[in-house]
Amino acid sequence: MLPASRRSCHLKPERALSKNLKGEITIVQIVVRNNNVEQALKALKKKMQREGTFREMKRRNHFEKPSEKRARQKAEAIRRARKLARKRAQREGLLPKRGGGPR
């Protein structure tokens, strides 16, 4: 939670530095409206989740052997390739589009 002096000021945006997958530093900016810090934290967590910051922090928590790193990167590449192929097949009409159905 933020200190009281920062919570009362709703005009200043909250900022967090994060690194993207390429190692470049990006600035994540969240605006706190009407002193609603909980909503701003929720938005910040969602952005960090989308960028993979939490996964990166968890991965850097312990040393990763070079062989494990190669295996992880290979698995990620395979996952990306499968996702791309699935999206391409959906676009071409070979597979039905996911979601959109009634719940």
Side-chain angles (χ1 to χ4, degrees), residues 19-23 51-66 68-73 76 79:
K19 287 188 176 186
N20 61 11
L21 297 174
K22 296 176 184 173
E51 291 180 0
T53 308
F54 291 126
R55 194 177 331 121
E56 182 77 16
M57 288 185 335
K58 187 176 179 181
R59 193 176 61 75
R60 288 176 181 242
N61 203 10
H62 301 287
F63 178 74
E64 185 178 27
K65 289 171 33 178
E68 292 172 347
K69 184 177 181 179
R70 280 192 303 271
R72 179 183 50 79
Q73 288 175 339
E76 287 174 357
R79 208 174 299 124

Side-chain angles (χ1 to χ4, degrees), residues 11-86:
L11 297 177
K12 290 186 179 180
E14 296 301 316
R15 291 181 180 204
L17 291 176
S18 67
K19 287 188 176 186
N20 61 11
L21 297 174
K22 296 176 184 173
E24 302 165 342
I25 295 178
T26 58
I27 296 176
V28 179
Q29 190 170 3
I30 303 294
V31 178
V32 180
R33 294 189 182 114
N34 298 329
N35 290 333
N36 195 346
V37 178
E38 286 76 25
Q39 185 180 17
L41 275 174
K42 187 176 179 182
L44 177 65
K45 285 181 183 178
K46 189 182 285 187
K47 279 189 178 185
M48 291 177 77
Q49 181 75 33
R50 221 176 299 132
E51 291 180 0
T53 308
F54 291 126
R55 194 177 331 121
E56 182 77 16
M57 288 185 335
K58 187 176 179 181
R59 193 176 61 75
R60 288 176 181 242
N61 203 10
H62 301 287
F63 178 74
E64 185 178 27
K65 289 171 33 178
S67 60
E68 292 172 347
K69 184 177 181 179
R70 280 192 303 271
R72 179 183 50 79
Q73 288 175 339
K74 187 176 181 180
E76 287 174 357
I78 291 170
R79 208 174 299 124
R80 279 193 307 270
R82 282 184 184 155
K83 184 177 181 181
L84 184 65
R86 187 173 56 244

